[in-house]
Every structure is written in C-alpha cells, then in structure tokens.
Amino acid sequence: MSYLRNTTNQPSQLDSPQHTIEVEQLHKRFGKINAVDGISFKVEKGQIVGFLGPNGAGKSTTMRILTGYNRASSGIAKICGIPVAADPHFIKRRIGYMPENNPLPLELRVREYLKWRAKVKEIPFSQRRRAIETALESCDLLRAQDRIIGKLSKGFRQRVGIADAILANPDVIIMDEPTIGLDPHQVILIRDLIASLRGRMTVIISSHILPEIEMTCDQIIIINHGKIVGQGSPAELRDTFIDHTTYEVEIHGSIEKLKTALSSIAPELQIEKTSERCPQGFATVEIQIKGKRDYGERLFQTLANCPDLRPRSLRSKMAPLEDVFLAATRRSWEEVDQELVANGEEQAVN
Ligand code: ATP
C-alpha cells in the first residue's frame, strides 16, 4: 500500500521499473573538493545495499543527493525512474531518510512526534493512525510510545528514527550510520529490523561496522575519494579483492612437523598465525596460500596420514569484509598516486 498520491503523470509504485535507484555519472563539487566524482550504480527493488567508504569518501553527500537535500553538480540520480532533480518534493515523499546523528525533537513524546511526521509526510488523515501503529509495532516501540524522546536511550531514539523513515511506507529507505554509538544488543535489534524490510522496501545503509553490513546487505558499494572502487555481493567482492586462500586447522603436534608436511604439498603454503595450545595440546593454526586454488582435500589427507600430527578439524576460512574494504580502498590510493604522476603533480604532493 502506498500513501502517496500520484499528483503528476510520473510513474506510480505499481509501474516503477526494476531498479528503484539509478545513479549515472553523478558529480558533486564543493569548491575544489570532488566529494562525488562520477559514480554510477543501480539498485534493484527490495534489496538492501551497504554503502561503505573511509571518512570523507562521499557517502553522506551521495545519500543527500538521492534524498533531494543536496543538488548534484552534474549527472543523474533517479528514484523509481524519476530524476530526483526534476521533482525533489515528490521524491522526498517516496523516500524515508534517516540522516547521520538523526536530530529528533527531544521534548516530544514518541507517538506525538510520529503524528506530526505523518502530517508533514502528507499521509491522508484517515490512514495516519494505522501508519503510526504499523511503524510503532515494526520498530518494537509500542511500549515506549508515550515516553519523551529526550529521556529514551540512544538505541530507542534510533528506532524512533527508523519508525519515522518507514512511516509513509516509502519505496526507498536511506540510513546514514543507523547503528553508530549503539551497544551490541541494540545493534542486533536494529540489524534485525533493517533485515525485516528486505523485499518490501529498497534500503541503502552506510556504516563503518563491517560485519553488520555483511550480515544485512545483499549488495555492497565501496567508495573512496568520491569514486566507486568495489561493487557486488560480499562473495563477488571477495573474489575480486582477495588474492589468497586461508585454512584453519586445529592440530596436535609440533609446528616444525606441520611446516614439513605443508612443504610436501606446496612450498608456498605458509603458516600465518598460531594460537596458544588448549589444555589437551591442540593449537589452532592459520595456513595461507596465494591464489584461489583449493588445497583443502590434499591438506586434510596429508595431515591425517602424518604419524606425528593429529588434526582435529580443518576448514577454509573466508576473508573478513574488513580485508576486502582495506584492499579496495588501498587500491584506489594507488590509482590516485598514478593519476597524480600522470598529471605531473607528484612533486606538489611531495
Ligand atoms: P564520513 O564517513 O566521515 O561521514 P562521508 O563518506 O559521508 O564521510 P562526505 O560527508 O560525503 O563523506 O564528504 C565527502 C567530502 O566532501 C569530504 O571531503 C567533506 O569534507 C566534503 N564536504 C561534504 N559536505 C561539504 C560541504 N557542505 N561543504 C564543503 N565540503 C563538504
């Protein structure tokens, strides 16, 4: 159900295209700063997308352009097929936006605030009560609806921000660091809440908490210096940026013997990390090799047949998203250096 009236002859939610968000060659300059430097991407309906990048990469600026709060210097951003710049007011009503450090009126009660927001969002009067109940229920705020916002914990306030964002049942939700400063319990609650929107709304979240992004998002876009440096599912990004395979083995026996066994398989199999031994004498050892060739089976057979070693478990270990992020953003620094050299600017930098 959409509360939005189609007052123009622009497409409605029913005939909106497959991609709810389309960005093409978007640029935003602040004086000499290229905050957003020619980014293009598309997001399919109902997907949850993580927007990652170091501080100052251009995430908030991109989000603000998508919401119609900032104007792009050039390029196009479309929501449900409609260019944002063509009708920012209309777009604002199709988007739920939760900015970074979401400012809330601290003196209002939760329900009172949502009532006011429902009016601002032009939800028809007859549907407001229902919309508020749904938002309160989805964000587990029914118990807190009569409490003063200023007296709520940070986690509850973030939930009020999300309730506001979903209130008008928008096509797109944009959240700038929704879990910043929350304790791990609250992070899990907000993560589950965001995951529950999958399929119903298209969601873009920016965050520096990478495991959270990995758990919640279908697609990830990594930006740095205003440019996209990586894009895809977590598995696709690993495939692009991680150039080694890691195995974790729990083993009893001397590490020297393990090294000898490894070199009989491939001299490049290296021990990366060794934990302390547990009381039973087992240690967890991380073994790494460059490239994507799978050594799992040979490793298992060799260790199981080695009389001096007793393996207890073996598994291949996925690289954390943090490694992908670091590799993607490091790569772009190198590209920037190359650009400077190409432009003959390296002397100015040094
Ligand atoms: P963070 O993770 O720290 O929130 P971000 O990726 O969201 O960073 P942006 O806030 O989009 O980055 O900023 C991108 C660049 O644009 C930065 O260099 C920032 O200083 C600059 N910038 C952003 N807004 C303005 C503004 N209103 N005026 C001038 N420069 C700005």
Side-chain angles (χ1 to χ4, degrees):
M1 171 176 52
S2 171
Y3 300 109
L4 299 167
R5 282 167 290 143
N6 197 353
T7 49
T8 66
N9 49 10
Q10 291 155 329
S12 72
Q13 199 170 29
L14 292 176
D15 51 18
S16 58
Q18 182 198 358
H19 294 104
T20 343
I21 303 173
E22 291 168 87
V23 168
E24 237 180 273
Q25 279 302 312
L26 204 65
H27 288 261
K28 177 70 185 176
R29 279 177 289 278
F30 293 110
K32 284 184 177 173
I33 298 172
N34 275 324
V36 178
D37 195 6
I39 65 173
S40 304
F41 63 89
K42 290 181 180 177
V43 182
E44 278 179 32
K45 257 188 199 173
Q47 278 203 330
I48 304 182
V49 176
F51 213 41
L52 304 182
N55 293 128
K59 305 178 294 293
S60 300
T61 307
T62 307
M63 289 178 152
R64 290 178 67 80
I65 294 171
L66 286 175
T67 55
Y69 284 92
N70 270 5
R71 277 188 90 86
S73 306
S74 62
I76 295 182
K78 289 183 191 170
I79 300 290
C80 301
I82 304 161
V84 176
D87 191 348
H89 181 66
F90 181 81
I91 293 298
K92 273 180 201 160
R93 293 192 285 146
R94 299 194 81 153
I95 283 186
Y97 177 41
M98 186 170 146
E100 196 176 357
N101 306 317
N102 194 13
L104 292 168
L106 300 182
E107 68 290 356
L108 290 188
R109 292 177 196 278
V110 174
R111 178 177 272 276
E112 227 177 340
Y113 170 63
L114 292 178
K115 252 171 135 173
W116 170 63
R117 292 295 293 158
K119 195 174 168 192
V120 171
K121 288 171 189 248
E122 298 175 31
I123 297 174
F125 186 76
S126 60
Q127 295 172 22
R128 277 184 210 162
R129 197 186 168 88
R130 174 83 199 281
I132 293 168
E133 291 297 326
T134 306
L136 286 170
E137 203 178 316
S138 305
C139 298
D140 202 8
L141 279 170
L142 283 168
R143 285 170 297 138
Q145 59 178 304
D146 294 322
R147 292 191 57 195
I148 292 173
I149 293 174
K151 293 192 175 165
L152 293 175
S153 68
K154 195 162 167 52
F156 268 91
R157 284 190 211 172
Q158 291 298 81
R159 281 197 245 167
V160 174
I162 298 177
D164 171 30
I166 64 174
L167 191 60
N169 197 26
D171 301 276
V172 176
I173 302 272
I174 294 183
M175 300 185 197
D176 205 348
E177 307 209 26
T179 52
I180 195 165
L182 299 188
D183 71 45
H185 295 288
Q186 296 284 0
V187 169
I188 292 170
L189 287 172
I190 300 287
R191 189 205 301 149
D192 291 348
L193 175 52
I194 294 170
S196 74
L197 303 175
R198 176 175 282 109
R200 284 199 284 149
M201 296 171 186
T202 307
V203 183
I204 295 198
I205 325 166
S206 84
S207 174
H208 290 291
I209 308 175
L210 303 184
E212 173 201 327
I213 288 286
E214 166 130 46
M215 273 183 253
T216 322
C217 298
D218 307 299
Q219 295 286 320
I220 294 172
I221 296 172
I222 306 176
I223 71 169
N224 198 12
H225 304 294
K227 289 182 165 45
I228 292 184
V229 294
Q231 192 170 359
S233 65
E236 286 164 346
L237 287 172
R238 276 196 182 88
D239 199 47
T240 308
F241 291 103
I242 302 297
D243 63 352
H244 57 263
T245 311
T246 307
Y247 299 95
E248 197 176 79
V249 61
E250 249 190 315
I251 201 151
H252 194 291
S254 98
I255 295 298
E256 282 314 307
K257 294 251 163 66
L258 175 61
K259 277 187 188 160
T260 313
L262 293 180
S263 63
S264 73
I265 306 171
E268 314 85 71
L269 275 169
Q270 298 289 338
I271 293 180
E272 269 301 301
K273 258 193 235 164
T274 307
S275 74
E276 277 187 25
R277 288 183 188 279
C278 71
Q280 291 80 28
F282 284 88
T284 304
V285 181
E286 237 177 65
I287 298 164
Q288 225 174 63
I289 186 154
K290 275 250 174 228
K292 289 172 184 159
R293 199 170 144 198
D294 187 2
Y295 282 91
E297 216 173 310
R298 279 187 67 196
L299 199 53
F300 180 78
Q301 276 169 0
T302 309
L303 298 182
N305 292 331
C306 185
D308 302 314
L309 296 169
R310 270 166 51 210
R312 188 157 75 167
S313 70
L314 168 74
R315 64 180 188 103
S316 66
K317 201 179 162 203
M318 244 176 9
L321 189 58
E322 194 178 29
D323 288 1
V324 171
F325 177 85
L326 291 174
T329 46
R330 197 162 37 230
R331 176 181 280 193
S332 80
W333 274 113
E334 285 161 10
E335 281 164 7
V336 169
D337 286 348
Q338 280 164 15
E339 252 175 57
L340 291 178
V341 172
N343 294 335
E345 292 175 38
E346 79 273 42
Q347 287 217 310
V349 173
N350 296 330

